[in-house]
């Protein structure tokens, strides 16, 4: 706890923008569903004088509707406690197998990892804005654990995540291409059932979302904002003040999507699902028109894979075999420092001014995008079935698959 408080204090001083954000997005969600429950259209709401309103599918609005019945302070407190609990649980799940393999003492390895992961911008901003990224990642990773147990319910978490926010739907493709047809079917059925439930409860709102609101990308924010670290965001800053050429973006997005998903599928088929889902999540971040900096929580499992290889876990045969440990450790350290320092905000710029600091400024402003491109190219796949055993704790002795 002292380490967490200390790191939070350092971040508050070092990070050039507000590192906590006063639960802005959570306020948007709460205000939108409160307005909706009072009889006004869900997607007409905007928070205060800002242009921001509710952008998720109606099923997500049903899930957060109870927020409207509680005081804002209670909602913020509950959200923070829930996300801290999810972060600590995910950290335990990710770190425990590494600690056991490499002889690191538990629970000290876990206690050291929690504050480090907390100060990474995607994690910190998810909590500070009141976002859902950690919860969605937990749902997808729960399916990774369920697949290892042979559970018939594997896919439910991914389906729910896709029903709350569309981009996790790419994980259904990952499940299908890695041969988990049943899990892909369960995920698809779960997402469809959740969406149909929203149609049954709020047919007009659902119809409007799927036929109109979904396609209105301008509702989300400016493409060129520093926090938009997608391929289209980087292209928008590169061509500033002109609009980015959509055909160029589309071609780049298709190439990146195919290449990164192919790498993810190879990782999954080789037994390294943690690398597979990390690559799939990062592919979604890259090709989505808008991916805010807090969406890049999938760099966390990628960092775990890098640290595991740096500590001595062998990479699969290929480009990483010769200097895998040094390369993985270097990439992990550079990525962690860049994310913890919120480096992109040192070059933040308004429309028409993205080139004021020259090439160096543009490179810093696009740092999440550039690092993610390096990670999806260089992330090692750990060798053989051992990767599966090391990524999550084994079931208790005597337990049987479900």
């Amino acid at each position: 706890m002292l380490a967490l408080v200390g790191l939070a204090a350092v971040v508050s001083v070092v990070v050039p923008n507000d590192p906590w954000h006063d639960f802005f997005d959570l306020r948007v969600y709460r205000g939108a569903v409160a307005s909706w429950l009072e009889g006004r259209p869900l997607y007409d709401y905007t928070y205060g004088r800002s242009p921001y309103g509710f952008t998720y599918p109606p099923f997500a609005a049903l899930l957060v509707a109870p927020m409207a019945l509680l005081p804002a302070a209670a909602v913020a407190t509950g959200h923070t406690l829930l996300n801290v609990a999810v972060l600590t649980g995910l950290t335990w799940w990710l770190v425990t197998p590494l600690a056991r393999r490499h002889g690191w003492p538990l629970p000290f390895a876990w206690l050291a990892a929690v504050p480090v992961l907390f100060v990474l911008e995607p994690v910190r901003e998810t909590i500070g804005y009141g976002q859902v990224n950690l919860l969605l990642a937990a749902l997808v990773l729960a399916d990774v654990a369920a697949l290892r147990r042979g559970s018939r319910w594997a896919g439910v978490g991914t389906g729910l995540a896709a029903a709350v926010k569309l981009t996790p739907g790419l994980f259904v493709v990952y499940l299908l291409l890695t041969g988990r047809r049943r899990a892909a079917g369960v995920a698809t059925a779960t997402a469809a059932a959740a969406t149909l439930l929203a149609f049954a409860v709020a047919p007009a709102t659902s119809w409007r979302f799927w036929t109109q609101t979904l396609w209105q990308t301008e509702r989300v924010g400016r493409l060129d904002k520093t926090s938009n670290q997608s391929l289209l965001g980087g292209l928008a800053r590169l061509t500033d003040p002109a609009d980015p050429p959509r055909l160029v973006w589309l071609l780049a997005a298709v190439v990146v999507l195919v290449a990164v998903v192919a790498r993810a599928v190879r990782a999954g088929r080789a037994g390294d699902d943690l690398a597979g889902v990390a690559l799939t999540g990062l592919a979604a971040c890259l090709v989505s028109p808008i991916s805010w900096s807090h969406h890049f929580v999938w760099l966390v499992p990628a960092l775990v894979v890098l640290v595991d290889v740096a500590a001595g876990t062998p990479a699969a045969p290929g480009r990483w075999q010769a200097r895998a440990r040094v390369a993985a450790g270097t990439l992990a350290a550079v990525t962690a420092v860049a994310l913890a320092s919120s480096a992109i905000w040192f070059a933040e710029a308004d429309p028409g001014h993205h080139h004021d600091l020259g090439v160096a400024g543009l490179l810093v402003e696009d740092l999440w995008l550039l690092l993610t491109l390096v990670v999806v190219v260089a992330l090692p796949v750990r060798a053989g079935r051992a990767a599966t055993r090391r990524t999550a704790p084994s079931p208790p002795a005597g337990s049987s698959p479900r």
Side-chain angles (χ1 to χ4, degrees):
M1 180 59 71
L2 289 176
L4 188 61
V5 172
L7 282 173
V10 170
V11 164
S12 297
V13 174
V14 172
V15 171
N17 70 326
D18 174 13
W20 310 115
H21 305 290
D22 197 26
F23 301 104
F24 181 86
D25 289 357
L26 195 64
R27 295 172 186 271
V28 173
Y29 304 156
R30 182 174 177 273
V33 294
S35 175
W36 188 38
L37 293 177
E38 291 171 358
R40 289 182 284 274
L42 175 64
Y43 297 108
D44 282 352
Y45 173 86
T46 56
Y47 179 69
R49 296 182 179 180
S50 79
Y52 298 109
F54 200 82
T55 58
Y56 295 138
F59 177 69
L62 295 181
L63 293 181
V64 301
M67 290 181 181
L69 308 177
L70 299 171
V75 172
T77 300
H79 178 274
T80 300
L81 292 175
L82 176 60
N83 274 273
V84 169
V86 169
L87 174 62
T88 54
L90 282 177
T91 305
W92 180 265
W93 185 77
L94 291 166
V95 169
T96 296
L98 271 66
R100 290 174 176 169
R101 166 169 169 75
H102 301 295
W104 303 337
L106 281 170
F108 299 108
W110 167 68
L111 290 173
V114 168
V116 171
L117 295 184
F118 174 80
V119 298
L120 302 181
E121 180 168 319
V123 175
R124 169 171 38 83
E125 289 208 334
T126 289
I127 298 174
Y129 271 120
Q131 266 285 344
V132 297
N133 306 297
L134 282 173
L135 301 177
L136 298 182
L139 287 171
V140 173
L141 291 173
D143 277 345
V144 173
L147 284 168
R148 296 203 185 106
R149 297 195 309 269
S151 172
R152 68 182 65 182
W153 298 103
V156 170
T158 300
L160 288 174
V164 170
K165 187 177 181 180
L166 299 182
T167 48
L170 189 59
F171 292 104
V172 180
V173 177
Y174 170 78
L175 290 172
L176 187 62
L177 293 179
T178 53
R180 282 68 169 260
R181 295 182 180 178
R182 178 185 173 85
V186 170
T188 302
T190 301
T195 302
L196 290 174
L197 173 63
F199 260 105
V201 174
T205 300
S206 295
W207 179 258
R208 176 175 173 179
F209 175 81
W210 293 105
T211 61
Q212 299 179 39
T213 307
L214 173 61
W215 314 104
Q216 297 169 345
T217 55
E218 69 277 3
R219 288 171 47 88
V220 182
R222 291 195 337 263
L223 290 176
D224 71 299
K225 287 185 69 173
T226 302
S227 53
N228 181 19
Q229 293 289 308
S230 69
L231 288 170
L232 185 55
L235 186 60
R237 289 185 289 274
L238 182 63
T239 60
D240 177 60
D243 291 333
R246 295 303 180 103
L247 181 58
V248 172
W249 165 70
L250 183 61
L251 291 174
V254 170
V255 170
V256 169
L257 180 64
V258 171
V260 179
V261 169
R263 285 212 72 216
V265 170
R266 286 197 295 271
R269 288 178 175 174
D272 194 350
D273 267 318
L274 191 61
V277 296
L279 288 166
T280 303
L282 292 174
C285 290
L286 288 170
V287 303
S288 176
I290 291 182
S291 291
W292 304 131
S293 56
H294 52 77
H295 291 163
F296 287 77
V297 291
W298 293 104
L299 286 169
V300 170
L303 282 171
V304 172
V305 173
L306 290 169
V307 169
D308 195 16
V309 172
T313 295
R319 73 188 75 179
W320 277 84
Q321 279 293 306
R323 297 182 177 86
R325 295 184 66 175
V326 173
T330 301
L331 182 54
V334 169
T335 303
V337 170
L339 293 176
S341 65
S342 293
I344 58 174
W345 298 105
F346 287 97
E348 181 184 12
D350 293 326
H353 296 278
H354 291 289
H355 295 271
D356 287 359
L357 298 178
V359 174
L362 204 59
L363 291 176
V364 172
E365 195 176 13
D366 288 343
L367 192 54
W368 280 202
L369 168 61
L370 298 174
L371 277 174
T372 301
L373 288 171
V374 172
V375 169
V376 297
V377 170
L379 188 71
V381 174
R382 292 166 295 174
R385 293 179 57 85
T388 299
R389 294 196 296 271
R390 295 184 200 110
T391 305
S394 302
S399 64
S400 59
R402 291 186 289 167

